Amino acid sequence: MRCGTLAWGLAGLLGVSQVHAAVTVYNQIPYGASASSSAAGAGKTANAYADSVQLTAPALPNPLPPTTFDLTLGTNNNSQNGLSIPIPGSFYGFSIEMSVVNQVVGKNASLLQVPFLNLMSLLTVRGGGVHIRVGGNTQETATMVSSLPNGTILAKAEVANDTTQTPALLISPEMMYMMANVSTLVDGVKWYLGIPMNDTSNLRLQIAEVGEQILGDNILGFQVGNEPDLYGGHQFGGRPLDYSTQDYFTEFGTVMTAINNDAQITVKKNIVGPSVTGTWTPEMVFDTGYLTAYASNLGFIAVEKYPNDNCGVEFPSAGDPVKDPQTEFPSYLNHTSGLSIISAFVNGSQTAKNLGLPMLMFETNTASCGGFPGISDSFGSALWALDYGLTMAAADFSGALLHVSGASVYYNPFTAPPTNQSKFHEWTISPIFYSTLVTAETLGPTNTAQVVDLQANSGNIFTPAYAIYENGVPARVALFNFMTDPSGANTYTATIQITGATLASVQVKYLTAPSVAEKTNITWAGQGFGGPFESDGRLQGTEDVQTIQCSNNVCSVPVPAPAFALVFLSDTAFSEVNPAASAIPTFSTTTGKPGAAAATINPSVLATSNGQGGANGQIMLGSTSQSSTSGAGMLAVPWLSAVLAMAFGAAMVGRRMAL
């Protein structure tokens, strides 16, 4: 991904006008207004979630696909060809840019974003867990310091000396305590952390040292080197334009030697690499001897890929072509998209499979440079991400992380409001988040799901379908209709049967919207998250699950245009991913403005948290892609003080480490 960041100073964070906890400082910006006097790029808004631009659904394809087709599944995984390796229900997670983690997760270990907790809870009860990476471009200049004022978890210093305009990022151990407390409150949330690699002559491994000590088993791995195949083109860290795979091999080895010699990093085989974007293929890196030389360290094989970019709008002076979202929209609305994205990495996934290592799409989303208005925030993006995810799973990828960045980005799955609020239902949950929820239900929590692309409807790209086997038997069928036709003429019917099996009825949940261009009127089995500023992270509405009676063991399932249908082939396949509402941990809050009636941290909940911070803090607004060079700046605004209370009464037990 072509990336850079804003240059933010340290004023207000490191003493250049510190705010006493008893003083309230407001610098509020209305919804939809720019957080900077600089204009956003043409066709963009500084706060993307407030952009009401809606595209037109693409015309129906010509020729139209057949409106009926048959799907016959093998009795078990021995009789069904093409099944993947076992895929975990935590397949879809999130890649949070390190520099905006204080917007998304919380201000510090005591002040967590409750909607974020609710969203993660929805996923863990369905898929068994959520994997989250904190890193990205901003990990490359990150430096761990012992503490920052007022419990602050991060601060951005002057721009680093490289052409990507990447800021030096200061982070404190408080960030890890915050992450640990999230994992305590929402069982199943686990983390990847990024380690800087911008200067291998002066390594900074404190993020790994402190992260391992605080997070323990909740650390999945450490990424060393983010998109190294772009280092040369960006001259990142002063690297030359001809920076090569051999250069990367040598630098990576320097870091591995240091990790292996670091007694404070006890787990050595959990490193994520090579994290290339396709400018280098994985095989180009493997040809250096990478896999053999670093076999004792590599725990994951990772790549990163965005299918498109909106850099022409973000950086008109760079000479990139400006792309029209309406013209680009159809390319997201067919099965070819996912297949094309992973084409450069399929051989790498088979290499990872042979080595017994998980293959990860470590950072992805609809388009780099902030995404496209009207595409990245449309129902079409949800269908696209669902199909893309299942395409990866069928090709033996074990996980994929949707990137989350600042408020000027259109592809964010969820966005917190930037200003002080009097109400709590004010997060914006974007259409693409539904893809993570539905994928968790599609794969389930058993870690035995095997996925196969059924090449449905004679391989028609507008009506793909997948079968999911669990514990060796058919469990679910996933059906897509990428077309938009309100007349109903292009609703199709898939007839499903299992060789030698009895099917009396099936249950079906639908992900629906009036059009692929729709931005807010979206439901998953009748439930949704509302529009902008309307969510606390919990599903709203009454669940609507359809029961379809089968005839002669053949089940006919209609799929509207547009829609996704998840067909449950057994009661077990349904019940394990559809817990009763009472079984889903949820979180509530009370909020108060600083200086108003005191809103305190419940000591029974945050029993061993540090409790620092007071009421004042910093929210960093803006993208971490190149878009932010003219985007939002830093705002000094009051954080919401939150009294976290788990509905089921558990307490937070994150520990403090003496530093």
Side-chain angles (χ1 to χ4, degrees):
M1 178 178 64
R2 295 184 53 191
C3 286
T5 53
L6 272 172
W8 279 306
L10 291 176
L13 282 176
L14 298 182
V16 182
S17 69
Q18 287 192 8
V19 179
H20 190 274
V23 179
T24 300
V25 176
Y26 294 91
N27 185 7
Q28 295 180 314
I29 291 180
Y31 288 128
S34 173
S36 169
S37 59
S38 300
K44 304 280 285 185
T45 179
N47 293 331
Y49 51 82
D51 191 338
S52 60
V53 170
Q54 183 165 319
L55 302 178
T56 300
L60 292 169
N62 184 16
L64 291 167
T67 55
T68 61
F69 57 85
D70 300 329
L71 298 173
T72 301
L73 309 183
T75 308
N76 53 51
N77 57 0
N78 292 319
S79 58
Q80 177 65 52
N81 293 327
L83 288 168
S84 70
I85 62 173
I87 306 296
S90 58
F91 180 89
Y92 254 144
F94 304 99
S95 163
I96 301 175
E97 190 67 42
M98 188 175 283
S99 61
V100 301
V101 70
N102 59 341
Q103 293 180 45
V104 177
V105 181
K107 177 185 181 290
N108 55 34
S110 301
L111 297 174
L112 304 179
Q113 290 279 19
V114 175
F116 176 79
L117 297 177
N118 285 335
L119 292 171
M120 298 307 104
S121 181
L122 287 175
L123 296 174
T124 58
V125 297
R126 288 163 168 81
V130 183
H131 295 172
I132 304 172
R133 171 250 199 147
V134 176
N137 281 358
T138 50
Q139 80 189 39
E140 297 282 31
T141 58
T143 298
M144 173 74 72
V145 295
S146 61
S147 65
L148 290 166
N150 299 321
T152 302
I153 65 173
L154 62 83
K156 293 172 183 159
E158 295 302 322
V159 175
N161 185 24
D162 65 79
T163 58
T164 63
Q165 298 295 292
T166 302
L169 188 70
L170 304 180
I171 64 173
S172 75
E174 186 75 7
M175 185 178 84
M176 281 72 164
Y177 289 121
M178 177 183 70
M179 294 159 62
N181 284 341
V182 169
S183 294
T184 298
L185 286 169
V186 186
D187 186 32
V189 174
K190 295 185 181 294
W191 307 86
Y192 299 98
L193 269 171
I195 300 174
M197 194 177 155
N198 67 320
D199 185 357
T200 52
S201 62
N202 295 286
L203 295 177
R204 305 186 305 283
L205 298 180
Q206 294 85 355
I207 290 176
E209 295 169 351
V210 176
E212 184 177 283
Q213 291 176 57
I214 294 174
L215 287 159
D217 291 343
N218 288 317
I219 275 286
L220 294 165
F222 297 105
Q223 183 195 28
V224 175
N226 183 61
E227 302 174 337
D229 49 341
L230 303 185
Y231 284 176
H234 290 163
Q235 294 184 278
F236 182 75
R239 294 176 173 96
L241 284 169
D242 61 353
Y243 185 83
S244 68
T245 56
Q246 188 61 52
D247 294 326
Y248 166 69
F249 173 87
T250 301
E251 288 195 293
F252 190 87
T254 299
V255 184
M256 294 307 101
T257 298
I259 287 174
N260 291 334
N261 292 332
D262 191 332
Q264 295 185 69
I265 303 174
T266 61
V267 179
K268 310 297 185 182
K269 191 176 170 58
N270 65 350
I271 301 302
V272 179
S275 304
V276 294
T277 68
T279 300
W280 299 341
T281 64
E283 291 76 26
M284 291 170 66
V285 177
F286 299 163
D287 286 345
T288 64
Y290 179 86
L291 295 174
T292 301
Y294 308 126
S296 62
N297 293 111
L298 287 168
F300 309 87
I301 301 299
V303 296
E304 303 181 17
K305 186 69 175 178
Y306 290 69
N308 206 334
D309 71 79
N310 197 20
C311 299
V313 165
E314 297 294 349
F315 311 106
S317 62
D320 291 311
V322 174
K323 299 175 181 177
D324 174 22
Q326 186 66 61
T327 302
E328 301 296 325
F329 201 13
S331 67
Y332 289 85
L333 299 173
N334 62 72
H335 186 44
T336 304
S337 177
L339 292 170
S340 176
I341 297 167
I342 69 167
S343 60
F345 308 122
V346 170
N347 289 339
S349 75
Q350 296 311 299
T351 299
K353 175 182 175 180
N354 294 337
L355 293 172
L357 297 176
M359 179 74 171
L360 305 177
M361 181 62 73
F362 209 59
E363 179 181 325
T364 191
N365 213 302
T366 49
S368 62
C369 292
F372 288 109
I375 295 178
S376 301
D377 52 355
S378 72
F379 181 60
S381 74
L383 293 179
W384 168 82
L386 267 170
D387 183 53
Y388 174 31
L390 292 177
T391 297
M392 286 188 281
D396 297 326
F397 281 70
S398 293
L401 307 178
L402 293 174
H403 201 50
V404 183
S405 194
S408 64
V409 167
Y410 284 84
Y411 57 58
N412 284 339
F414 36 77
T415 308
T419 57
N420 191 53
Q421 301 300 319
S422 60
K423 298 188 299 181
F424 188 59
H425 286 73
E426 292 189 343
W427 270 43
T428 301
I429 313 303
S430 298
I432 201 169
F433 178 79
Y434 288 86
S435 69
T436 66
L437 185 69
V438 177
T439 298
E441 290 198 30
T442 301
L443 298 174
T446 67
N447 296 327
T448 67
Q450 294 175 271
V451 181
V452 59
D453 184 340
L454 296 172
Q455 301 296 313
N457 207 4
S458 300
N460 190 276
I461 62 174
F462 299 102
T463 59
Y466 303 82
I468 295 86
Y469 283 62
E470 238 183 345
N471 293 310
V473 297
R476 303 174 193 90
V477 173
L479 304 170
F480 291 81
N481 192 336
F482 278 111
M483 298 177 288
T484 295
D485 183 3
S487 75
N490 282 284
T491 294
Y492 72 74
T493 299
T495 60
I496 301 169
Q497 59 183 318
I498 303 171
T499 301
T502 299
L503 282 175
S505 65
V506 293
Q507 291 175 285
V508 184
K509 294 178 75 171
Y510 289 97
L511 181 66
T512 59
S515 163
V516 291
E518 178 63 37
K519 301 178 76 164
T520 60
N521 186 14
I522 298 166
T523 58
W524 171 234
Q527 296 181 303
F529 294 101
F533 329 123
E534 291 182 351
S535 180
D536 66 355
R538 294 180 288 186
L539 285 166
Q540 305 166 20
T542 302
E543 187 176 50
D544 178 17
V545 180
Q546 302 293 311
T547 298
I548 293 177
Q549 301 300 321
C550 306
S551 176
N552 297 320
N553 301 318
V554 176
C555 311
S556 298
V557 179
V559 183
F564 169 88
L566 184 58
V567 184
F568 298 90
L569 302 175
S570 69
D571 291 340
T572 299
F574 179 83
S575 62
E576 68 184 12
V577 296
N578 285 279
S582 60
I584 302 175
T586 58
F587 304 83
S588 60
T589 185
T590 60
T591 62
K593 296 180 180 179
T600 60
I601 304 301
N602 186 333
S604 69
V605 175
L606 300 176
T608 57
S609 180
N610 65 316
Q612 294 182 30
N616 293 292
Q618 302 289 339
I619 295 180
M620 309 291 188
L621 292 178
S623 168
T624 52
S625 69
Q626 288 180 337
S627 62
S628 49
T629 54
S630 62
M634 177 164 49
L635 298 177
V637 298
W639 280 84
L640 297 179
S641 299
V643 180
L644 294 173
M646 294 193 66
F648 50 87
M652 181 181 290
V653 294
R655 297 183 61 186
R656 289 302 310 274
M657 179 179 66
L659 295 175

